[in-house]
Amino acid sequence: MTLVTPAAGWAGILLGLAAAIALTISGFRAQRKPQAVRHRQLRFAVGCLVAGAVLAMTALEVALLTDNFAVSYVADNHSTATPWWFTVMAAWAALEGSLVLWALVLAGYTALVARQVRSASDRLGTGALGVMGLVNVFFFGLLATVANPFEVLEQPPADGPGPNPLLVDHWLMLLHPPLLYLGFVGFTVPFAFAISALLLRRGGVDWLRRTRRANLVAWSFLTAGVVLGAWWAYEVLGWGGYWAWDPVENAALIPWLVATAFIHSAVVQVKRGMLQAWNFVLVIATFALTILGTFITRSGAVASVHAFTESQIGPAFLGFLLVVLVGGFTLFALRGERLASTSRPESLASREGVFLINNLLLTLFAFVVLLGTIYPILVEAVTGSEVSVGRPFFDRMAVPLSFALLLAMGIGPFTPYRYASPAVLWHRLRIPLLLACAAAATLVLAGITSPGVVTVVALATGIAAGTVRQLVATAPKPRLRGMARLVSGQRAYWGGQLAHLGVALVAVVIATSAALVTEDTVTLDRGDSLSFSGYEVTFTGISQQRQPDREITRAHLEFARDGSHRWEATPRLSHFDAQPDAIGAPDVWVRPGSDIYVALSQLEVDEDRISVNIYQYPLKVWLWVGGLVIVAGGFWALSGRTRRPEPQSQIAASGKEAGDVTYP
């Protein structure tokens, strides 16, 4: 068994690499000469690709679960004391294993694309398979060369250090990385179809329609991955926050912003025939940014709690990124002039005009975050000097852009296509505007005068009110049943509105939790008490607990009000057997109105004295609820059937746009 497992892993990698090469050759050959390739050749290559990826991942998991320390990856990232569920997670907790998972997910998406390609005469589909085969060649090639997890050690150790302690301290790490990979890798599908369409000099909306589901799947999973990653940081890292503008955090946010822009601009192209060239740019940029994010995470170029250690794959990823950028945009430059849209927005005061503004804001936001993220890397590479771009820069740029995006999000869905007269806009937006003003006035009268909080609550109220008004106004009678039928029947549209509500809720929580936080840092002797936010907080002592792979030290603080016990906080330090430094973790009292967050401020405690940081964050639990609402909106839009477009003659006769939501 010691040698069988790595041999199986090697076999899976080589099978996947050979299948990827065959798929690349067959796919591009079928695009040029469909009669030269049989459809079953493509399906066989895809089947071997999936089999190779499954075999490699299975071999890695078996090696971990059977404590096979003869395998280099197991020896470096596993311990016999690690619980089995974190042993499963260890397969993607380090560099080489994460690439095995990446290859598995990529093979799965390739198989889904292959299901769309019903014959070798589907030139758009076979070309897309060729592109995906080429991407598979790169990742399986990495596994076969500089990132192979199945190297056999001549003298295996009896035990290993185990995974990174930060990754085995919370169950969210079982979900966060796979969801990110499902998002990142999923954007390969629209990229592949876009490149295939450019090779064929074929514009139109066919490639958009065929990639809509894959794009929504990838966007929804990436959203979920970002939300769970922020939640993990809040629950584990102990500094009280959830987003630090860390380079690796930004590496996930940047493609999410550009992909969000693409989702909106694709709607404009499908319904109005505009922004066709722009959509090609966005798709190429989104895929390139996923590769850039992978380079930042896995090259060792940045110091981050999320990043892997320095490795040899950095130059490989950088080279692949250059190939994607140069190849993709050169092809676009050669073909783009023929694919440019002939129509333009008639007015910025229209739905397509607001969507265009939305796209510009999202791409500007992405560029600002990208600039702040890579600037230190470029400076260090050119001059050797270390510089940093801190939170003040990102906050200063992100806040006004976020306000503008919320405003566009509140206006866009309720603006008609072609042109919106002032009278029509006032009729549709007057109730949301009045309720937004009422919400702002209520906050001021309640003593909450923070400009950011008041502005965000007003904008969020307007978005929510506008959505509800539209739902009520457009639903057929009987009203409740009609609303249910409307939301179910137009899932693509109302899924988007649900996601907008989630974004509005997230924005409110971000603003309020930052501006209205209560915090204190104190040192307490055993038996000492302090008053915090209406509670009497008493340090009652220290407890020790032994687990198979760690020693846990917990501080006990009792929160009482009016003489009665309400909650006991138990922030902890974990001393892992295989790690020299202790890992701290907070304790959080989650409530609908606010969270109370308690973390040890030092990594050393004694039995009679501790130092703690205590925070109270208003509405914090609703941040995660809002994030999950965004994800639910994406999947609700995904669940709807793609309707065939109405003939242009019928659209002209009716005086409305295809797929437009009827609005009085």
Side-chain angles (χ1 to χ4, degrees), residues 434-449 454 457 461:
L434 291 173
L435 291 176
C437 292
T442 301
L443 288 180
V444 173
L445 292 174
I448 301 174
T449 57
V454 172
V457 170
T461 302

Side-chain angles (χ1 to χ4, degrees), residues 574-632:
S574 297
H575 299 264
F576 285 82
D577 298 337
Q579 301 290 338
D581 299 323
I583 302 295
D587 198 7
V588 186
W589 186 9
V590 178
R591 302 174 300 171
S594 65
D595 281 8
I596 291 183
Y597 187 102
V598 183
L600 296 168
S601 59
Q602 297 178 346
L603 294 182
E604 293 292 338
V605 297
D606 59 44
E607 294 184 357
D608 298 316
R609 172 173 290 192
I610 60 169
S611 294
V612 292
N613 299 319
I614 308 177
Y615 307 87
Q616 183 177 33
Y617 293 109
L619 306 177
K620 182 56 72 73
V621 68
W622 298 102
L623 179 64
W624 323 123
V625 173
L628 295 178
V629 169
I630 300 173
V631 176

Side-chain angles (χ1 to χ4, degrees), residues 415-437:
T415 305
Y417 284 105
R418 298 185 183 277
Y419 175 71
S421 66
V424 170
L425 280 178
W426 172 247
H427 176 70
R428 295 185 178 186
L429 297 176
R430 59 185 176 183
I431 292 179
L433 284 173
L434 291 173
L435 291 176
C437 292

Side-chain angles (χ1 to χ4, degrees), residues 95-96 142 145-147 151 298-300 309-318:
L95 174 65
E96 296 85 356
L142 285 179
T145 53
V146 296
E151 293 181 1
R298 290 166 173 80
S299 65
T309 56
E310 187 172 354
S311 70
Q312 298 178 344
I313 72 166
F317 267 104
L318 188 59

Side-chain angles (χ1 to χ4, degrees), residues 174-189:
L174 295 168
L175 301 176
H176 167 57
L179 289 174
L180 281 180
Y181 295 165
L182 285 166
F184 268 35
V185 180
F187 291 122
T188 310
V189 177

Side-chain angles (χ1 to χ4, degrees), residues 21-32:
I21 294 172
L23 180 62
T24 303
I25 296 172
S26 300
F28 287 130
R29 189 181 180 194
Q31 188 186 52
R32 293 194 308 272

Side-chain angles (χ1 to χ4, degrees), residues 433-483:
L433 284 173
L434 291 173
L435 291 176
C437 292
T442 301
L443 288 180
V444 173
L445 292 174
I448 301 174
T449 57
S450 169
V453 174
V454 172
T455 302
V456 169
V457 170
L459 290 170
T461 302
I463 292 170
T467 303
V468 172
R469 183 200 180 278
Q470 184 180 18
L471 179 61
V472 173
T474 57
K477 296 181 179 179
R479 192 69 67 187
L480 289 178
R481 186 179 300 175
M483 286 190 289

